[in-house]
Amino acid sequence: MLKNIDTIINKFTNSNRDNLIPILQEIQNTYGYLSEDSIVSVSKHFDLPTSKIYGIATFYDQFIFQPKGKYHILLCNGTSCHVSGSKKILKEIEKILKIKDGETTSDGIFSIQSVNCMGACSLSPVISVNGKFYSKVNLIEIKKIIKFYQTKEK
Amino acid sequence: MIIDIEVNNKTIKAKRGETILSALNSNGIKVPTLCHIDGFVPTGACRICVVEVEGKPNLIPSCSYPVEEWMKIKTHSQRVIKARKTIVELLLANHPNDCLYCERNGNCELQKLAEELNIRERKYSNEREKLKIDPSCSSIIKESDKCILCGRCIRVCEEIQGITTYDFAKINNRHIISTSFNKPLNISNCILCGQCIMVCPTGALHERNNIDKIQQALNVINKHVVVFYSPTISVSLAEEFNMKPGKNISGIINAALRKIGFNKVFDSTFATDVYIIEQTKELIYRIENNINLPLFTSNCPAWIKYAEEYFPEILTNISKCKSPQQIMGSIVKEIYSEENNIPVNDIITVSIEPCTAKKFESQREEMTNNGISDVDIAITTRELAQLIRLHGIDLQNIEEEIADFPYHTRSSAGKLTSISGGTAEAILRTLNYKITGKELEDLKISELRNNKSVKEIKIKIGKTNVGIAVISSMSKAGDFIKTLPKRKDLHLIEIMACPCGCVNGGGQPIKADTKDIKSRIKSIYDIDRKELIKVAHKNPQVIELYSKHLDNLSEEEKQKVLFTNYSKRDVLL
């Protein structure tokens, strides 16, 4: 895997710092997430400390640091969804799956990620599971949605 | 060029190009700040330093705005005070309410500011989840909940030390100061120098407090508690007790430590003399055999950790000597215990250092002997001050006493090691004596006595033209080591992690400013001027220690007491 990361990095011949985000994006597109090894390789390439790269990558919601679960739950936390109680939904999901925002369950089935706006404000709060959207979610409904995917796995 | 500006209806002088804040400060007008550090490029992150400038629609951050001739500034108008108050109220909204239990209670910049701005109620309530404390590290504790995100620690770590352990990171939708991959500090690349603690405005970063451990040790019957303090402590404690900054109070410290209840009080400067002699022997051996040159000093544990992480290939060049703290500990546990028939298990050694990395060093596996650490408890200058207050000792009205026999004598060369350049000076004095049999004509080497972070000199001793480099702060050290393959003229390199050396260590009193540090340095040089024994090899008790004990030890035993080894450390850089 390391070797492939190097080939991605070397595709960007110019080791200008402008290329940092495109390189991270390409690594994430290839592997689905940014591993520790990949951050180390990128930091060597740019001669920057890993903490800096990690700091930059965590700033953007698009980057994740654990492999995505089989069912990737995106939770909208835009203004409209926030006002409609998306925080409570997130807490509920975290409670059911026993993981935090940005993490993946140990069996690799579920992962959660909150994002800033999914552009469906009139249907708030909105979540999406692997691209399937659920609108006007409430605390009872979220339990049903997760239950649905859990039984599907059994 | 000097220009006039008007501040609070008075005309003051300012230099063209300087910031409003520095012009105000040099004219004695105080403007509060939370993110500004003297000598650093301003970031303007906290906005506490805003002032009103006539003709400008918005308030202006004085730390990052240059003065101009036409300016009419108001530093404490109604509008400014209201803005500052709101900023602090918002910071407090995200800040825990546990000042009473905080490490920095009474010494916190945020607390002081809230008091100055007359904030008497919590205006905005807080419903945020608590962040976990990182208790993993033996030296530094990080409490992210108390962090106000001023970014001072990041800048000191990056710009002075070149380590960049921390950066801002967004974790669970909250910005915090995080190590890479939010790993605990003990497995991060932090070298534990403690410079981040010195600039932290709140209690978000502080040392691991060992006072309870000492109290416990003092209360166990049949335990022999031995304390020893580093050369720097005697000149840096005074200001904590309203005495003149930099005043040498070693006699008072001896008396106070005895009153606290320690069974024996020794001076680690004694061990520093042993360290200087051993290091000189090592240097002579390496010069004669032309191996592993240049020799790097090993008395700074933060530098050692840095080398283990960043330059494992030069570990063979680092001196094999333990640091003075560890030498003192092993002398007490191996020699003193045998001489006085005290079982090693009954001795507890406490070391007082101006340093947070020494806490880590005392816990290192390499620094143990049959599972017993050389130094059991290491505390900082700040903790010593707290301990003295805890025991209600009035330092102003206390008779001076001398340290306990047999480890009470010291040379002023040992004292010098607390300043960057001092270790090299002390080693040169002994080196000249060992090679030529005579003392240096002028013991004071003025080229090593300035506050530059990189100093180089060449001195002819015997037939060799000895090349010496002295470096303080790790970013400079890193740059220097990279140039080493091209340098063949160097024999000794002294490296200290903190700028100016231990006098500015990460365990020193927090309120200290550059002036205090200068007075500490001056005080040490004064001691060297007045002292009769100015070289390590003339310390009478050290001579006796060698003739009675060290010279009779087998190589293996000597290795146990005086020497150690270091190995590569794998961390995320």
Side-chain angles (χ1 to χ4, degrees), chain B residues 213-225 261 263 345-346 348:
Chain B
K213 270 195 196 165
I214 293 182
Q215 288 294 91
Q216 235 167 33
L218 288 172
N219 280 325
V220 183
I221 313 162
N222 287 339
K223 287 276 182 202
H224 191 74
V225 190
N263 298 79
N345 287 325
D346 286 348
I348 295 176

Side-chain angles (χ1 to χ4, degrees), chain B residues 358-395:
Chain B
K358 292 272 185 193
K359 284 175 189 274
F360 160 79
E361 189 188 34
S362 70
Q363 307 289 314
R364 283 179 81 116
E365 217 183 328
E366 296 93 330
M367 304 295 179
T368 56
N369 199 353
N370 297 330
I372 297 170
S373 305
D374 295 339
V375 175
D376 295 303
I377 306 168
I379 60 169
T380 59
T381 321
R382 295 192 286 271
E383 286 165 277
L384 173 64
Q386 215 176 338
L387 192 68
I388 290 172
R389 281 190 214 110
L390 179 69
H391 283 263
I393 294 161
D394 180 8
L395 286 198

Side-chain angles (χ1 to χ4, degrees), chain B residues 94-109:
Chain B
N94 286 331
H95 200 81
N97 250 347
D98 57 357
C99 288
L100 281 177
Y101 311 106
C102 181
E103 192 81 14
R104 291 284 292 271
N105 186 14
N107 187 17
C108 167
E109 289 177 42

Side-chain angles (χ1 to χ4, degrees), chain B residues 5 23 41 82 177 215 260 326 365 381 411 472 507 544 558:
Chain B
I5 55 170
V41 178
K82 202 177 156 206
I177 303 280
Q215 288 294 91
I260 289 169
Q326 299 305 128
E365 217 183 328
T381 321
S411 72
S472 64
E544 198 177 316
K558 225 174 165 180

Side-chain angles (χ1 to χ4, degrees), chain B residues 5 16 66 126 238-239 253 278 319 474 529 531 568:
Chain B
I5 55 170
R16 191 185 290 277
N126 177 10
E239 64 224 52
I253 293 176
E278 283 305 320
S319 161
M474 277 356 304
R529 199 158 39 85
E531 180 69 49
K568 185 174 188 263

Side-chain angles (χ1 to χ4, degrees), chain A residues 94-105:
Chain A
E94 286 179 344
K95 213 170 93 190
I96 299 169
L97 298 176
K98 298 190 180 68
I99 49 168
K100 289 254 180 208
D101 182 14
E103 291 176 353
T104 308
T105 49

